[in-house]
Amino acid sequence: MISFFFLGFLLAFIVGNIITFLVYLAPITTFHKVYKKQSTEGFQSLPYVVELFGSMLSIYYAILKQEVLLDLIAINSVGSLIETLYIALFLFFAPKKSRMQTIHLVLLIALGYGLMVILTLFLANGHKRIQIVGWICLIFNLIVFAAPLCIMRKVIRTRSVEFMPFPLLFLQTLGAVTGFFYWLLLKDYKFAFANVLGFIFGIVQMGLYIAYRNRKEISQEPMVNPRRNQAVLQPNDIAENVINIIEDDNFLR
């Protein structure tokens, strides 16, 4: 007879993996917008970089576990590939400053990841190694949940949710619920607790989105066209406003 534990675990396993896969696919709408405008504009690479290395850490943790969690290895391998593609697209369309910041961030985290793997392989063993990697994964999971918080300041300042990916927020929040039951049934309570915090982060960010979703953006700095002395005001996806400005040394500072 099938136990309640098995049914609960199976449900959390199936639903959790579906939601996780949808989380990985959620930024597609963002990058479609980036492709259309040929610019990353106000979007940031931090969530994708953090998500990539969070997935890599989860793979490492799953391999170290005595009971190899094949579902974690499979879904996070797919996720690592997808996040790598997002980062590559971001680097292609980002301005030089954002591109260099992203490259530095990737190199920094890659260095930290490599050192973590080497140190845990040679300086720890058995259950102690699993515990150390588990806590590192826990911290990264919290960072993944909190990564979109960096957008909140921009939302409050501009009163616009243009750069706040609601599908990603919603799916991460829903994933935190299924993740909580998944890890609870596996009796890995630290990850269950992390998903509680992830749920709270998600609710706060979705609340901010709801509060500002119908408000118009206050203003944006104009982009000056050096060839024609024009300032092009960025549109809100509806119309383009172009204002010819006569070159004036007292006006342009």
Side-chain angles (χ1 to χ4, degrees):
M1 188 173 180
I2 300 177
S3 66
F4 174 77
F5 172 85
F6 177 77
L7 288 176
F9 178 80
L10 184 63
L11 181 62
F13 166 78
I14 295 174
V15 176
N17 278 282
I18 291 174
I19 293 174
T20 300
F21 184 67
L22 292 176
V23 167
Y24 288 132
L25 295 181
I28 286 179
T29 54
T30 295
F31 281 94
H32 177 66
K33 183 183 295 186
V34 168
Y35 175 76
K36 286 175 62 178
K37 295 187 176 182
Q38 298 290 295
S39 172
T40 57
E41 293 187 318
F43 295 107
Q44 299 183 17
S45 62
L46 179 62
Y48 314 114
V49 177
V50 171
E51 190 75 49
L52 170 62
F53 289 99
S55 297
M56 294 172 63
L57 278 172
S58 296
I59 294 172
Y60 184 46
Y61 179 71
I63 293 174
L64 292 178
K65 292 282 285 186
Q66 291 181 354
E67 65 281 7
V68 179
L69 304 176
L70 295 178
D71 62 309
L72 283 182
I73 295 175
I75 192 65
N76 283 285
S77 296
V78 173
S80 296
L81 180 62
I82 294 174
E83 296 299 333
T84 300
L85 179 60
Y86 290 152
I87 294 171
L89 289 172
F90 185 92
L91 290 173
F92 184 80
F93 290 109
K96 184 177 180 180
K97 182 178 179 181
S98 296
R99 186 183 302 120
M100 295 306 300
Q101 288 176 342
T102 300
I103 292 174
H104 291 158
L105 180 61
V106 170
L107 292 176
L108 179 63
I109 298 182
L111 177 63
Y113 179 83
L115 287 175
M116 183 273 300
V117 171
I118 293 172
L119 291 176
T120 53
L121 284 176
F122 290 99
L123 300 182
N125 50 47
H127 184 66
K128 185 177 180 180
R129 179 189 298 160
I130 296 174
Q131 279 190 322
I132 294 173
V133 176
W135 281 106
I136 295 174
C137 287
L138 174 65
I139 294 172
F140 247 86
N141 282 339
L142 292 177
I143 294 175
V144 168
F145 283 126
L149 289 171
C150 62
I151 305 295
M152 292 181 67
R153 181 183 176 186
K154 178 185 286 291
V155 171
I156 295 173
R157 188 179 72 249
T158 64
R159 298 179 181 275
S160 169
V161 295
E162 182 182 3
F163 302 114
M164 196 173 202
F166 183 80
L168 180 61
L169 295 179
F170 175 75
L171 289 171
Q172 281 187 334
T173 305
L174 195 59
V177 176
T178 58
F180 169 77
F181 289 106
Y182 176 86
W183 291 109
L184 185 66
L185 291 171
L186 285 178
K187 297 182 179 180
D188 204 330
Y189 300 116
K190 60 181 177 292
F191 285 106
F193 174 72
N195 281 279
V196 172
L197 294 181
F199 176 77
I200 295 173
F201 285 149
I203 291 297
V204 170
Q205 292 171 88
M206 286 196 299
L208 186 67
Y209 183 93
I210 293 172
Y212 286 99
R213 74 183 189 278
N214 292 324
R215 301 196 183 188
K216 294 183 178 180
E217 201 171 352
I218 294 178
S219 64
Q220 290 180 321
E221 295 182 0
M223 292 195 313
V224 176
N225 185 330
R227 305 177 75 180
R228 299 183 60 187
N229 292 325
Q230 291 179 332
V232 182
L233 301 181
Q234 292 298 303
N236 291 322
D237 298 329
I238 299 177
E240 295 184 357
N241 299 311
V242 179
I243 302 176
N244 294 324
I245 298 178
I246 299 175
E247 186 175 5
D248 187 341
D249 291 336
N250 294 325
F251 179 78
L252 298 175
R253 298 188 180 184

